[in-house]
Amino acid sequence: MVTGGSGSGKSTRVQNVLYPALLKRFGKPTEMTGEHALIEGAECIEAVVMVDQTPIGRTTRSNPASYVGAFDAVRKSFAAAPMAKQRGYTLGTFSFNSGAGRCATCGGNGFEHVEMQFLSDVYLRCPDCNGRRYRDEVLEVLVQPDGKRSLNIAEVLELTVAEAIEYFAEEREVVAKLQPLAEVGLEYLKLGQPVPTLSGGEAQRLKLAGYLADAGDRLRTTGSTRSDGSSRGTLFIFDEPTTGLHFDDIEKLLRAFRRLIDAGHSLLVIEHNLDVIAAADWIVDLGPEGGDAGGEVVCVGTPHEVMRHTTSHTGKALRESVGGWRSAISRNAHRLGEQTQTAH
């Protein structure tokens, strides 16, 4: 966890120095790296990923279900339906990105894009498919899992993540792919919602869900969270992931963080939220102030140790926060308990 007041140098050190330096080490393209002497411990990880709030592409064809791989599992269910087999429909028939099953007028977009010279572009609902993306005969194929109401694939895309998990409760592959979305607090999103319409915070959590889904796939198929079976994991960097989140969403975010850690990965989080800071394993507090008076390492240690530091503004804020005190003390006691069990 990297903490400190505004302008204390958190983003400069992490985004301008550490992240590009690690990308360069792993042979990835990057911009100029900020000045630094050396980086220790890079041999303990196999990759580095920045999970920020930048938009996930600009194509409206991408949606939450396809991003985490759940749409492939949904299409398998439709391809296995009796009517689909009778008509010779395949997995590709139920794709709106390609194939003969998508609407020929809009190409599977569900709308027509009208470019405006001086105003924002206009999106008009497709007059032939009425925004449903598919040809009428493809929409005649229905699934009805476990006696539930029958739906076509366009209607499934209108389900929220929570509704889809309940609807496909007996389809283990579909549920396994959708569960990470619910775990990061995106259970309210519709499966077919275009990714460019998501907010910055939603985009960041969708990226996190994608990594959780990938870790789950590797665990189910190989019994290991990493493709090479090594003990090295990925370093995930988050820049203020709690921005705009409700308290309940923050709790879900912390559980998702724990899942990544349990899978053998490491997290570096730039954060101001005291509950998240109090839950950290280790804190690097920068300051002591902002601007020209910042950029120095004020203290490092566990949240409980940072609380004891007399000149740390983060430590003072944690001391004054009842929730911060309780979280840090509880976590410290839990850590000591684990060490005692290991010793025995």
Side-chain angles (χ1 to χ4, degrees):
M1 183 74 64
V2 180
T3 62
S6 297
S8 60
K10 303 184 298 299
S11 296
T12 299
R13 285 178 178 267
V14 175
Q15 297 184 13
N16 298 350
V17 180
L18 178 64
Y19 178 56
L22 289 175
L23 285 178
K24 185 176 181 180
R25 176 185 176 89
F26 295 122
K28 304 294 183 181
T30 181
E31 299 177 357
M32 184 177 296
T33 305
E35 184 178 352
H36 63 285
L38 77 162
I39 294 179
E40 298 180 349
E43 68 280 357
C44 298
I45 60 175
E46 64 176 5
V48 60
V49 173
M50 175 71 73
V51 188
D52 55 19
Q53 297 192 6
T54 56
I56 308 174
R58 300 182 62 182
T59 175
T60 56
R61 295 182 181 275
S62 179
N63 55 55
S66 62
Y67 192 85
V68 297
F71 193 45
D72 290 339
V74 169
R75 290 190 296 126
K76 287 180 184 178
S77 296
F78 278 92
M83 183 178 291
K85 291 182 177 180
Q86 181 182 356
R87 296 181 177 183
Y89 290 168
T90 64
L91 204 64
T93 306
F94 298 95
S95 170
F96 54 75
N97 290 320
S98 61
R102 60 180 180 170
C103 172
T105 302
C106 64
N109 277 317
F111 55 84
E112 295 179 328
H113 179 196
V114 180
E115 294 186 2
M116 306 295 287
Q117 188 171 2
F118 299 108
L119 301 173
S120 299
D121 292 352
V122 176
Y123 296 90
L124 303 176
R125 188 182 297 272
C126 175
D128 285 350
C129 69
N130 196 30
R132 296 181 298 176
R133 299 175 181 258
Y134 295 93
R135 301 196 333 257
D136 289 340
E137 52 268 36
V138 174
L139 296 178
E140 292 174 357
V141 178
L142 306 175
V143 295
Q144 192 174 13
D146 195 28
K148 297 183 175 69
R149 62 192 177 100
S150 57
L151 298 176
N152 61 40
I153 193 163
E155 292 170 328
V156 167
L157 288 173
E158 287 297 310
L159 296 176
T160 66
V161 171
E163 291 170 343
I165 290 176
E166 181 180 358
Y167 186 76
F168 290 103
E170 302 302 319
E171 299 281 346
R172 295 181 59 185
E173 185 178 1
V174 177
V175 173
K177 295 286 189 177
L178 290 176
Q179 198 63 46
L181 290 171
E183 290 176 356
V184 298
L186 296 178
E187 67 279 354
Y188 59 89
L189 293 182
K190 290 185 177 181
L191 299 190
Q193 182 172 340
V195 163
T197 66
L198 302 181
S199 69
E202 288 171 334
Q204 186 176 39
R205 283 183 286 162
L206 181 57
K207 295 175 187 178
L208 174 57
Y211 292 118
L212 290 175
D214 180 62
D217 286 343
R218 291 183 180 181
L219 188 61
R220 285 189 295 271
T221 57
T222 67
S224 171
T225 56
R226 285 171 289 282
S227 56
D228 61 0
S230 70
S231 59
R232 297 178 299 147
T234 296
L235 173 63
F236 290 96
I237 299 176
F238 292 84
D239 188 0
E240 299 191 21
T242 64
T243 301
L245 295 188
H246 187 271
F247 298 119
D248 289 340
D249 292 328
I250 292 175
E251 184 177 348
K252 293 177 182 177
L253 182 69
L254 288 174
R255 287 199 295 266
F257 282 173
R258 180 54 55 186
R259 275 198 59 192
L260 282 177
I261 293 173
D262 291 343
H265 303 296
S266 300
L267 272 65
L268 178 61
V269 183
I270 302 172
E271 190 53 75
H272 288 107
N273 184 279
L274 292 176
D275 291 327
V276 177
I277 293 173
D281 292 315
W282 194 257
I283 294 174
V284 177
D285 190 44
L286 302 182
E289 306 297 337
D292 294 338
E296 298 180 5
V297 177
V298 176
C299 61
V300 297
T302 65
H304 200 251
E305 290 170 340
V306 171
M307 282 185 189
R308 297 175 177 174
H309 201 280
T310 57
T311 62
S312 168
H313 293 308
T314 301
K316 179 182 178 182
L318 285 172
R319 288 196 301 271
E320 295 175 351
S321 169
V322 176
W325 263 111
R326 290 175 179 172
S327 297
I329 293 173
S330 174
R331 187 170 181 79
N332 191 48
H334 178 67
R335 186 183 294 108
L336 290 174
E338 288 180 340
Q339 294 174 353
T340 302
Q341 291 177 5
T342 303
H344 287 309

